[in-house]
Amino acid sequence: MDTLPVPSLPSRNIEMEKWTDTTNKTFVLESAPDLFQSDSDDDYLYEEIPIEEFEDDKSDTEDENLEETVRNITERRFFEENEAEIKNIEENKDNVASTTKQPEVVEDYIRNFFYSRGLKKSLETFQEEWYEFKKKGHLSPEDSETVPDVYVKNQKLADNIQKLRINIEEYKDIANKAQSTFEKLKKERDYHRMHHQRVVQEKNKLISDIHRLKNKCSMFEPMIEGIQKKYENAMKEKMLTKLDRDRLAGKIVTLESTISQLENLIKDKDAKNNGRITQNNANIKNGIFNDTTTTTTTTTITNNNNKVHTSKNNQNHSSFSSADTKNIHPKHSLSGRESVLPLENRQNPFSNLEISPAKTSPMKILHNIKAHDAAISCVKLHPRKNILATVSDDKYWKMWAFPSGELIMSGMGHTDWIADCDFHPKGGQLATASGDSTIKIWDFLKGQAITTLSEHTQAVWGCAYHDLGDFIVSGSMDHTAKLWDIQMEKCKHTFRGHSDSVNNVGFQPYTNLMYTCSSDKTICFWDVRTGMVTQTLNGHNNSINHGTFSLKGNLFASCDADGIVKVWDIRANSATELVTLNYGPNSVNRLSFDPSGTILAIASDNGQCKIYNCNNNKELRSLKGTEESLQAVLFDQSGEYLITAGSEGSYQIYK
């Protein structure tokens, strides 16, 4: 049942009128006394209705007219006030899902109860007292609450119980998962605890072993100290012995010179007595190095499987066999005296000379000569004659007339490839380094290998003579370099310091300073007198293939497998890097300075020879030959010619 309040009447008597419209809806007209007129704060002006219209002595006709009038007024006001809302509801009635009944407040519930039972006097009394209490503020907020609905509350409680049961099931699942996780963690804890106990046991065992070893070491320390003292005493005795030996060697040299002088006097006396003078054939003695020879003949000499094939040019030539050679040249006998390194460096005769740089701009290829059946690994020029030596992977070494390119001599004695070679400073011998772990020294007058040095355990990559000719140095794949005494035919000192293969060795001109280039990316300079490293050059990031000094000895150049070339100034105590050139990614295999030390030739793995000026730091030109890869490059002593050699067994001469 819907109720609508009627505007308040000025009379204190409350009348309740009830009527029913055509829609079977019951309306209640309620009037209330104007209790708030004097105390109200708002300025709203209420409409006053004359009391006479509601008096009880009206006739039935008047009551009917009044009833209709009030109903019409009420309906009109209701529809006027709610017209917009009703229109909105009608327009959006399709979107309205449902309507809900609003619960009644306590006062409406009591009014409806009194009205439905016809208790008008009780209703009037309730209305007066209720509004009076409300005006005086004797009503609390709880008195205006809605009437509780037990069924609704029960339904809400049932819904809450269902939700709580669902939550209980979820919490049970979570608890079960937590229980399984807890069991798993317990097992892991037990495992790690057992592992920790095992580690602690092992640690205690190691600690006990360490203590035991320390005790043993403490037992050996006195013995080591005694051995150290014995070693120091032995080294002192060794030094004293060397001094005595050098003193005795000096006396022996003096005595031998005296004996030779006496023998010469005796020979001269015998010759005068016999009336004849013994002479040797100078042309045969000079052998292949006589500059006046011009026609061709060939002689083969064999000794201990070391073969030398000799081609001679002489208008009045004579063919000689190995027996004839031995008769003419008695077998070379080494003196058996140990050579002594000079105490001081020699004066470099080129250090103060002004030498013009090589003119590389007009250089063109003069000869392209097929020399070997395999790659040529090194080329060297004779120090006194116009002779070029080549060594190859085909196990042969050959000597050629320079620059004509005619073959003079060839030899074979190594059992593996030949990596490097070097002429004796006096020009009478050639040293070759091979993959068979040996260095052979070939004597041109004898036509055979007179010495084989074989203390390296792996392939030998490089060899070089000392400027005095009494020593030769070699570098090997066994990570060492060795200094050999040629007279004694044995190793004088082994240089250990590199952690990888020693690829190239040599001397600074006219000094006792040796250099070694290694695959461990370092270059070491050694004092051969003490066997100590004087300085180490770092800067390369790959295996160092080759290094070389300028003729004046002030510049040093190095190259590596990444194609990096570095030029160093070594005049100071600490070498200074002057320039870095990048010709990668191809490897740079060999370098060569011209006589002036300003032009650098660079042999690359891509078959090109780069010419670089070290004074103005510019690349002058690039020479591209017929070789797929260049393995060697060399300027001649005058700087007029440039020789290159490569992997196809040919060498080229540029002029």
Side-chain angles (χ1 to χ4, degrees):
M1 179 178 64
D2 298 329
T3 62
L4 290 173
V6 178
S8 61
L9 298 176
S11 177
R12 294 183 60 87
N13 296 325
I14 300 171
E15 292 183 354
M16 299 292 295
E17 294 292 336
K18 177 181 178 181
W19 69 91
T20 304
D21 62 359
T22 57
T23 59
N24 295 325
K25 290 185 178 180
T26 301
F27 295 89
V28 176
L29 181 62
E30 178 183 355
S31 62
D34 189 11
L35 301 177
F36 304 99
Q37 185 174 0
S38 59
D39 298 330
S40 177
D41 293 333
D42 58 24
D43 297 330
Y44 184 81
L45 298 178
Y46 294 93
E47 182 180 357
E48 295 183 357
I49 299 174
I51 300 175
E52 290 79 9
E53 294 181 4
F54 298 96
E55 292 180 350
D56 294 337
D57 56 354
K58 297 279 183 185
S59 63
D60 295 336
T61 306
E62 290 176 351
D63 292 337
E64 290 179 359
N65 292 334
L66 178 61
E67 180 178 316
E68 289 179 359
T69 303
V70 172
R71 184 174 67 246
N72 291 333
I73 293 172
T74 304
E75 289 179 354
R76 190 185 308 113
R77 288 183 177 179
F78 174 81
F79 286 110
E80 286 176 357
E81 292 175 356
N82 298 284
E83 183 179 3
E85 183 177 357
I86 292 170
K87 187 183 292 185
N88 188 23
I89 292 172
E90 289 177 353
E91 290 176 356
N92 301 316
K93 61 183 178 178
D94 295 335
N95 297 329
V96 177
S98 62
T99 59
T100 58
K101 180 182 178 181
Q102 296 293 333
E104 297 174 321
V105 296
V106 175
E107 55 182 308
D108 289 340
Y109 178 80
I110 296 173
R111 290 190 190 102
N112 291 333
F113 176 77
F114 287 154
Y115 180 80
S116 64
R117 297 294 186 273
L119 303 174
K120 294 184 177 180
K121 293 181 179 181
S122 298
L123 179 60
E124 292 175 358
T125 304
F126 171 75
Q127 289 282 77
E128 289 181 3
E129 292 180 353
W130 179 265
Y131 283 110
E132 185 178 357
F133 272 61
K134 191 173 184 180
K135 179 180 178 182
K136 293 179 179 180
H138 293 166
L139 296 176
S140 63
E142 289 81 2
D143 296 332
S144 300
E145 289 182 349
T146 58
V147 178
D149 192 340
V150 175
Y151 296 102
V152 174
K153 287 188 176 181
N154 290 340
Q155 184 63 36
K156 290 182 178 179
L157 291 174
D159 294 340
N160 291 336
I161 291 171
Q162 185 64 24
K163 291 180 180 178
L164 291 174
R165 286 176 179 172
I166 294 172
N167 291 338
I168 288 171
E169 295 297 329
E170 292 178 353
Y171 293 150
K172 284 182 179 180
D173 294 338
I174 294 172
N176 292 332
K177 292 181 180 178
Q179 181 67 23
S180 61
T181 304
F182 177 69
E183 295 294 336
K184 183 179 179 181
L185 291 175
K186 283 177 65 177
K187 291 180 180 179
E188 291 182 356
R189 181 201 63 186
D190 296 338
Y191 170 76
H192 289 298
R193 183 178 293 171
M194 181 179 63
H195 181 68
H196 174 70
Q197 291 175 355
R198 185 173 68 252
V199 170
V200 170
Q201 292 176 357
E202 293 178 355
K203 175 185 174 183
N204 294 332
K205 183 179 178 182
L206 290 174
I207 291 174
S208 62
D209 292 341
I210 290 171
H211 289 313
R212 181 170 50 84
L213 292 175
K214 284 183 177 179
N215 294 331
K216 287 188 177 180
C217 290
S218 62
M219 294 172 58
F220 290 125
E221 284 180 357
M223 187 183 301
I224 293 172
E225 292 178 357
I227 294 173
Q228 182 70 24
K229 291 180 180 179
K230 289 182 180 179
Y231 172 76
E232 292 175 356
N233 294 331
M235 292 300 296
K236 291 179 182 179
E237 293 177 358
K238 180 181 178 182
M239 294 300 297
L240 294 174
T241 305
K242 282 186 177 181
L243 293 174
D244 293 339
R245 182 193 61 193
D246 294 339
R247 181 172 52 80
L248 293 174
K251 290 183 178 180
I252 291 172
V253 171
T254 304
L255 292 174
E256 285 182 348
S257 62
T258 303
I259 292 171
S260 61
Q261 291 176 1
L262 293 174
E263 288 178 349
N264 291 333
L265 291 174
I266 293 172
K267 287 180 180 179
D268 292 340
K269 185 177 181 180
D270 292 339
K272 289 180 181 179
N273 293 334
N274 295 329
R276 51 191 173 85
I277 301 174
T278 302
Q279 296 181 352
N280 292 327
N281 191 332
N283 292 331
I284 298 176
K285 183 176 181 180
N286 291 331
I288 63 169
F289 301 106
N290 194 328
D291 292 337
T292 61
T293 59
T294 55
T295 51
T296 304
T297 185
T298 303
T299 302
T300 302
I301 303 172
T302 305
N303 183 36
N304 296 330
N305 296 324
N306 297 320
K307 299 180 180 180
V308 177
H309 304 276
T310 305
S311 296
K312 292 179 58 181
N313 295 328
N314 193 340
Q315 292 181 353
N316 298 318
H317 70 273
S318 61
S319 177
F320 57 90
S321 64
S322 60
D324 296 332
T325 307
K326 289 180 181 180
N327 291 333
I328 297 172
H329 303 287
K331 183 176 179 180
H332 176 73
S333 59
L334 299 178
S335 65
R337 299 189 304 273
E338 184 176 358
S339 302
V340 180
L341 286 165
L343 298 178
E344 301 292 339
N345 296 333
R346 276 73 59 210
Q347 177 64 35
N348 189 337
F350 303 98
S351 59
N352 296 323
L353 291 180
E354 292 294 333
I355 304 175
S356 300
K359 297 179 180 180
T360 58
S361 300
M363 277 190 174
K364 295 182 180 180
I365 189 167
L366 183 63
H367 295 294
N368 184 14
I369 299 169
K370 179 66 175 178
H372 293 272
D373 296 331
I376 297 176
S377 53
C378 181
V379 295
K380 286 292 174 69
L381 283 168
H382 194 278
R384 299 183 180 182
K385 304 290 182 180
N386 292 328
I387 295 175
L388 176 69
T390 61
V391 295
S392 168
D393 290 349
D394 62 5
K395 308 175 188 178
Y396 277 91
W397 59 265
K398 295 183 180 181
M399 291 199 303
W400 311 80
F402 182 79
S404 62
E406 296 178 359
L407 179 64
I408 298 175
M409 181 181 293
S410 65
M412 184 184 73
H414 289 288
T415 59
D416 208 339
W417 41 264
I418 304 176
D420 198 8
C421 68
D422 195 24
F423 278 103
H424 191 280
K426 295 181 179 179
Q429 296 174 353
L430 179 72
T432 55
S434 171
D436 60 8
S437 306
T438 65
I439 303 101
K440 288 185 180 292
I441 299 177
W442 306 81
D443 188 285
F444 303 136
L445 297 180
K446 289 183 170 297
Q448 63 184 14
I450 59 172
T451 303
T452 299
L453 309 174
S454 57
E455 290 188 20
H456 281 294
T457 59
Q458 295 188 44
V460 182
W461 286 114
C463 63
Y465 272 100
H466 190 258
D467 65 286
L468 297 181
D470 294 329
F471 299 94
I472 190 170
V473 67
S474 61
S476 170
M477 197 183 294
D478 61 9
H479 307 180
T480 66
K482 291 182 180 292
L483 180 69
W484 305 88
D485 187 337
I486 298 176
Q487 297 296 329
M488 298 297 293
E489 299 184 30
K490 69 176 184 179
C491 177
K492 184 177 181 66
H493 189 81
T494 299
F495 302 90
R496 294 181 175 88
H498 288 291
S499 59
D500 208 336
S501 172
V502 178
N503 301 327
N504 183 240
V505 293
F507 287 96
Q508 185 181 16
Y510 302 98
T511 69
N512 296 321
L513 187 68
M514 177 189 74
Y515 67 86
T516 55
C517 302
S518 173
S519 293
D520 64 6
K521 309 171 190 177
T522 63
I523 303 165
C524 291
F525 290 98
W526 310 76
D527 188 337
V528 294
R529 294 167 296 184
T530 62
M532 303 297 292
V533 176
T534 59
Q535 61 179 319
T536 301
L537 304 184
N538 296 290
H540 287 280
N541 296 321
N542 207 337
S543 175
I544 302 175
N545 295 330
H546 187 250
T548 184
F549 272 100
S550 64
L551 190 60
K552 295 182 179 181
N554 58 335
L555 297 179
F556 181 80
S558 58
C559 61
D560 64 24
D562 285 338
I564 302 298
V565 177
K566 291 181 180 290
V567 181
W568 313 77
D569 186 348
I570 59 142
R571 286 174 291 187
N573 293 330
S574 178
T576 304
E577 182 180 333
L578 298 179
V579 66
T580 298
L581 310 174
N582 189 352
Y583 292 108
N586 301 102
S587 172
V588 175
N589 299 319
R590 287 274 174 167
L591 304 170
S592 178
F593 279 105
D594 77 325
S596 68
T598 58
I599 306 299
L600 181 65
I602 303 166
S604 177
D605 219 23
N606 61 2
Q608 295 184 355
C609 179
K610 306 287 185 179
I611 309 298
Y612 183 81
N613 191 320
C614 297
N615 279 350
N616 55 22
N617 296 328
K618 290 184 179 179
E619 182 179 322
L620 300 180
R621 63 178 302 188
S622 176
L623 302 175
K624 176 63 177 177
T626 59
E627 298 292 322
E628 180 179 354
S629 172
L630 289 183
Q631 303 294 325
V633 65
L634 184 66
F635 278 104
D636 76 323
Q637 292 90 334
S638 64
E640 184 179 359
Y641 295 94
L642 177 68
I643 306 105
T644 61
S647 58
E648 297 180 6
S650 301
Y651 71 88
Q652 299 78 37
I653 300 176
Y654 291 87
K655 181 179 180 181

